[in-house]
Amino acid sequence: MTSPIRTERHDNVLVVISDNPPVNALGQAVRAGLKDAIEEAMSDDAIEAVVIRCDGRTFFAGADITEFGKPPVGPNLPETLDAMEASDKPVVAAIHGTALGGGCEVALACHYRVAVPSAKLGLPEVKLGLIPGAAGTQRLPRLVGAEAALPLVVGGNPISARKAQGIGLVDEIVGEDSLEADAIAFAKSKIGQPVPRASEGTANGDGVRDPDLFDRFRASQARKIRGFDAPNAAIEAVKAAGTMSYAEGVKKERELFTELMSGTQSAAMRHYFFAERAANKIDDVPKDTPLIPIKKVGVIGAGTMGGGISMNFLSAGIPVTILEMSQDALDRGTGTMRKNYENTAKKGRMTADQVEQAMGLLTPTLSYDDLADCDLVIEAVYESMDVKKEVFGKLDEVVKQGAILASNTSYLDVNEIAAATQRPGYVVGMHFFSPANIMKLLEVVRGEKTRDDVLATVMKLSKTIGKVAAVSGVCPGFIGNRMLSKRQEQANALIMEGANYWEVDEVLLDFGFPMGPFQMGDLAGIDIGWHRDPSKVTTVREALCAVGRFGQKAGKGFYDYDEARQRTPSDEVKQIIADFAAKEGKEQREILKDEIRERLLYPMVNEGAKILEEGMAQRASDIDVVWINGYGWPLYTGGPMFWAQTIGLDKVVEGLEKHDLPVSNYLRERSAGSGKFD
Ligand code: 3HC
């Protein structure tokens, strides 16, 4: 097999080039090639400097994740990088695309780094439940200081080449189209000078001068890193760079890395990495399906949903025509969108110019005719089949042939909606999650007649607007809400049987969800869908509405809220629930947290199994993608289906039986078989 690494000589500079598509991952052959290339440079007196660069779309984007968990084959990355750094001839990393993880560590082991303006650098290992494992946690702080290194290693988000230059991670920004030539010139300018080695830096003494730095940083990240093991390990590793010798620091990094690699969190997060990418692929839609160009989007409804949906496209530079029924509603909707953008700008995440640019792409209208030349129209109106059918009928008449008509419905039958048009093949569900400009998930609902090019286009578009998409078949509630309803059923039953509602919430918080079902009810508003007749009380929710406990907006719902929106359980609600249970003849008993957890989560897994059996999801990992991105299922467990496999499908079956809950045949089969869903 030919090596993915080749070398080219430019006078006295050896250019080492990696060609390992798609992202130049640092697999065994790449590592071996790099090591050989360094030896070639060292053993040749005619070579006085080295440039390392990559062909294709990016500099090394990291270790090869597919090798993780398999027996290691040498040379390993740390030893390859040590050999590189040990060189007395200057070694220059020439960076384009994304220098991530092991790729960033390659750059750190080089003596200098030059990058094109569009390049990004980062250490995203925490997103795989890991920390950098090739001395990144030791070289980076020694190069840029512990304070600048902490957010990179612990947060895992890449930074731009210019920002990297600002902290001393990049030495020079070079021409976007002249990376190699500029890197060679840079390397030549360093010949004869002593080489700077990151490992010999001092971490700027930050960690030593300011011993509280690490605790302060940990406290500032508390909410973000709750439940995750890797960020804490990352802080420990950077701290080691500030307080230990390089050799000891590297040893510490290795210990932490090895422990994380063998843990369940990293396995779950690596599963998720591939799950997210798999979810964007539709098995029976050919890869080369031609796409429908989407140059202009129409959105019907300028409420919270319609406004949020529109912002996704505007932010991506795609013009949007937004339609409402009245000028008032239109003004209110577009006003809210502007306010949202301006708030983002206030937080420094957008410039004032960008706000104007985005809003400049928006055309408000009251007339359906203005949607005629849109390539995609997304309807975000009231959830009523009659209303939707009317809207789609109208759209079918006015919007040009070949354009996609999408519904943002969260549970209605997309086939029935499609049947209201003469072009059911062009109808698809695009279920966004609120707030639609922020939530990552896009559930793409595939109707019976939805065409391949429509699906392929929507999947591609989801990436353009920064969403994570997963495909669902047509069934009530699709993947996400269908499973949510099973959890809600149990939550409601549990409080009738004597569980405290705050304990139900606590169980989910402890599991890693950002909130529980009753907190969620308070946040969304308990009165949503309420019939507004206080004398008609058939559910706990109706009982709460009857006494004005509408949720956070009323200062009270399931919980009482103070001015800072801090919640405390309410005696009044406890009494309402107890009275209600008595009226229903429900016996109250003490319910332990284990039972609560099992009854909330196992039925979701069972429903997920049914969704798979019916072919409503293509693969179990798609269900994980839906729940992690749309409902706050903790990423470090890998999603409901992966989590169920981790704890054992037999345990889930047993738990469901113990609580007299239904067990699907498919779950039983999988439990008795491989113990895996996919
Ligand atoms: N290893 C193996 N495969 C990888 C990979 C990696 N590090 N990074 C990406 N791929 C694969 C993807 O699975 C995908 O495969 P597919 O086409 O079969 O689905 C393909 O490369 C293209 O990836 P994307 O679809 O994600 O392409 P994008 O252009 O959207 O994104 C990227 C490119 C920003 C590089 C993104 O792929 C990414 O973030 N990759 C992971 C980066 C990372 O986490 N690096 C750290 C690895 S851990 C490490 O380095 C440990 C070290 O410290 C020892």
Side-chain angles (χ1 to χ4, degrees):
M1 214 178 79
T2 54
S3 170
I5 299 289
R6 69 179 192 279
T7 54
E8 286 173 6
R9 280 157 193 260
H10 293 255
D11 309 325
N12 52 350
V13 178
L14 188 74
V15 180
V16 179
I17 302 157
S18 169
D19 183 12
N20 186 32
V23 297
N24 282 304
L26 289 148
Q28 192 275 335
V30 175
R31 298 192 302 269
L34 277 177
K35 201 151 180 258
D36 289 347
I38 292 297
E39 274 161 22
E40 180 186 338
M42 293 310 102
S43 59
D44 186 342
D45 290 343
I47 293 298
E48 293 183 274
V50 180
V51 165
I52 298 179
R53 72 161 185 85
C54 292
D55 274 348
R57 66 202 225 212
T58 179
F59 194 74
F60 309 103
D64 186 337
I65 306 169
T66 59
E67 285 183 355
F68 290 0
K70 296 182 186 155
V73 184
N76 67 30
L77 193 56
E79 71 187 77
T80 308
L81 300 191
D82 286 348
M84 197 177 274
E85 194 190 40
S87 158
D88 285 327
K89 301 174 182 179
V91 182
V92 178
I95 302 167
H96 77 293
T98 42
L100 300 179
C104 189
E105 291 173 302
V106 171
L108 283 164
C110 292
H111 306 122
Y112 301 98
R113 289 146 293 277
V114 301
V116 299
S118 62
K120 291 203 163 108
L121 293 91
L123 292 167
E125 283 87 344
V126 283
K127 302 197 175 191
L128 299 168
L130 296 170
I131 61 168
T137 68
Q138 301 307 300
R139 285 198 177 98
L140 181 68
R142 283 180 168 80
L143 183 69
V144 305
E147 193 159 7
L150 272 172
L152 278 170
V153 183
V154 181
N157 292 323
I159 55 172
S160 68
R162 290 223 185 273
K163 273 207 177 133
Q165 189 185 28
I167 61 169
L169 172 56
V170 161
D171 297 288
E172 195 167 287
I173 304 284
V174 298
E176 195 72 58
D177 301 319
S178 52
L179 175 62
E180 185 181 83
D182 291 353
I184 291 171
F186 182 92
K188 282 184 176 171
S189 76
K190 299 297 176 189
I191 291 170
Q193 297 178 21
V195 294
R197 296 187 177 94
S199 66
E200 292 169 359
T202 60
N204 288 357
D206 281 359
V208 184
R209 263 204 319 266
D210 179 3
D212 295 336
L213 174 69
F214 300 98
D215 289 339
R216 245 191 359 259
F217 184 79
R218 196 192 311 271
S220 74
Q221 302 296 304
R223 217 171 60 90
K224 263 195 219 153
I225 65 180
R226 186 175 78 98
F228 288 89
D229 293 339
N232 281 310
I235 294 172
E236 283 313 300
V238 178
K239 194 170 178 179
T243 53
M244 295 178 177
S245 71
Y246 179 71
E248 282 170 336
V250 166
K251 198 164 151 247
K252 177 84 185 167
E253 179 194 89
R254 179 81 351 218
E255 279 165 20
L256 292 164
F257 178 84
T258 311
E259 199 183 322
L260 290 168
M261 183 65 104
S262 58
T264 53
Q265 289 204 354
S266 176
M269 291 166 80
R270 282 181 272 136
H271 155 76
Y272 176 75
F273 177 85
F274 290 111
E276 182 181 314
R277 282 150 184 85
N280 202 269
K281 301 182 177 99
I282 308 177
D283 287 341
D284 58 344
V285 173
K287 246 186 167 170
D288 54 357
T289 303
L291 302 180
I292 301 169
I294 305 293
K295 300 214 174 75
K296 192 173 169 191
V297 172
V299 174
I300 305 190
T304 314
M305 249 1 238
I309 291 171
S310 304
M311 288 174 76
N312 288 303
F313 295 98
L314 299 176
S315 302
I318 301 172
V320 173
T321 302
I322 190 163
L323 176 106
E324 254 300 346
M325 304 299 285
S326 73
Q327 191 61 44
D328 250 15
L330 200 54
D331 292 345
R332 223 175 313 122
T334 54
T336 306
M337 288 163 70
R338 172 170 283 281
K339 213 168 357 136
N340 285 341
Y341 273 132
E342 283 169 353
N343 282 339
T344 309
K346 265 190 214 143
K347 289 180 197 145
R349 291 203 296 258
M350 248 179 135
T351 63
D353 270 359
Q354 284 169 328
V355 173
E356 292 315 317
Q357 248 168 36
M359 287 306 287
L361 292 171
L362 183 68
T363 310
T365 183
L366 297 173
S367 161
Y368 268 84
D369 293 340
D370 290 337
L371 300 175
D373 63 342
C374 288
D375 305 299
L376 160 71
V377 180
I378 304 170
E379 154 284 306
V381 302
Y382 184 63
E383 283 282 78
S384 136
M385 182 53 88
D386 290 343
V387 177
K388 304 253 179 203
K389 278 182 171 167
E390 197 190 316
V391 168
F392 272 78
K394 244 188 243 166
L395 284 177
D396 195 28
E397 276 169 29
V398 296
V399 182
K400 69 180 180 192
Q401 285 306 309
I404 302 173
L405 306 182
S407 172
N408 177 50
T409 180
S410 56
Y411 64 90
L412 294 174
D413 184 338
V414 172
N415 294 330
E416 198 178 334
I417 296 174
T421 72
Q422 303 297 314
R423 57 173 114 175
Y426 286 91
V427 176
V428 66
M430 287 177 77
H431 180 207
F432 290 83
F433 288 70
S434 188
N437 52 323
I438 293 175
M439 294 292 284
K440 282 285 210 189
L441 180 65
L442 177 64
E443 223 176 9
V444 174
V445 187
R446 177 181 196 170
E448 257 165 28
K449 299 198 171 142
T450 309
R451 292 162 54 106
D452 283 359
D453 55 354
V454 168
L455 283 167
T457 300
V458 170
M459 297 313 274
K460 177 82 194 335
L461 190 62
S462 70
K463 277 191 132 185
T464 311
I465 60 172
K467 298 288 177 213
V468 175
V471 179
S472 172
V474 177
C475 58
F478 315 125
I479 295 172
N481 283 344
R482 176 167 164 182
M483 287 166 68
L484 180 67
S485 70
K486 295 295 159 190
R487 191 182 83 178
Q488 193 63 44
E489 239 171 66
Q490 286 305 308
N492 294 343
L494 280 159
I495 61 171
M496 284 293 108
E497 292 168 36
N500 288 314
Y501 64 87
W502 58 90
E503 278 176 353
V504 173
D505 282 345
E506 268 166 26
V507 163
L508 290 183
L509 285 175
D510 291 348
F511 187 75
F513 279 94
M515 65 178 85
F518 300 106
Q519 285 171 269
M520 197 153 92
D522 276 1
L523 185 69
I526 294 183
D527 56 334
I528 289 182
W530 182 44
H531 47 58
R532 319 226 155 247
D533 178 358
S535 67
K536 220 172 86 194
V537 173
T538 58
T539 64
V540 169
R541 278 179 90 104
E542 285 172 0
L544 296 189
C545 287
V547 294
R549 303 195 69 104
F550 297 143
Q552 271 197 28
K553 60 186 169 189
K556 54 184 186 173
F558 279 97
Y559 295 90
D560 290 329
Y561 293 88
D562 65 15
E563 272 159 22
R565 291 204 177 178
Q566 289 299 316
R567 63 177 190 281
T568 35
S570 147
D571 288 339
E572 185 186 23
V573 175
K574 181 126 179 58
Q575 195 55 51
I576 289 175
I577 294 171
D579 291 348
F580 204 84
K583 206 172 81 189
E584 300 261 296
K586 291 262 167 29
E587 217 170 285
Q588 306 269 296
R589 64 186 168 93
E590 195 194 347
I591 302 185
L592 298 179
K593 283 195 165 179
D594 278 348
E595 177 176 343
I596 297 178
R597 192 181 55 253
E598 290 167 10
R599 286 181 53 187
L600 292 174
L601 302 183
Y602 291 176
M604 294 176 59
V605 174
N606 187 57
E607 198 61 23
K610 283 165 73 178
I611 286 172
L612 282 174
E613 185 173 26
E614 293 165 22
M616 291 295 139
Q618 298 186 85
R619 32 188 111 78
S621 61
D622 284 13
I623 299 177
D624 293 333
V625 168
V626 166
W627 267 82
I628 285 171
N629 291 288
Y631 300 83
W633 186 288
L635 171 62
Y636 52 77
T637 68
M641 307 313 268
F642 186 83
W643 170 75
Q645 288 173 185
T646 311
I647 62 167
L649 298 188
D650 50 345
K651 200 173 153 205
V652 176
V653 171
E654 221 175 85
L656 287 165
E657 284 172 342
K658 183 171 72 187
H659 301 302
D660 273 334
L661 294 166
V663 184
S664 71
N665 289 336
Y666 193 68
L667 179 57
R668 270 189 210 288
E669 267 170 35
R670 291 285 148 162
S671 165
S674 66
K676 302 251 181 294
F677 285 116
D678 279 332

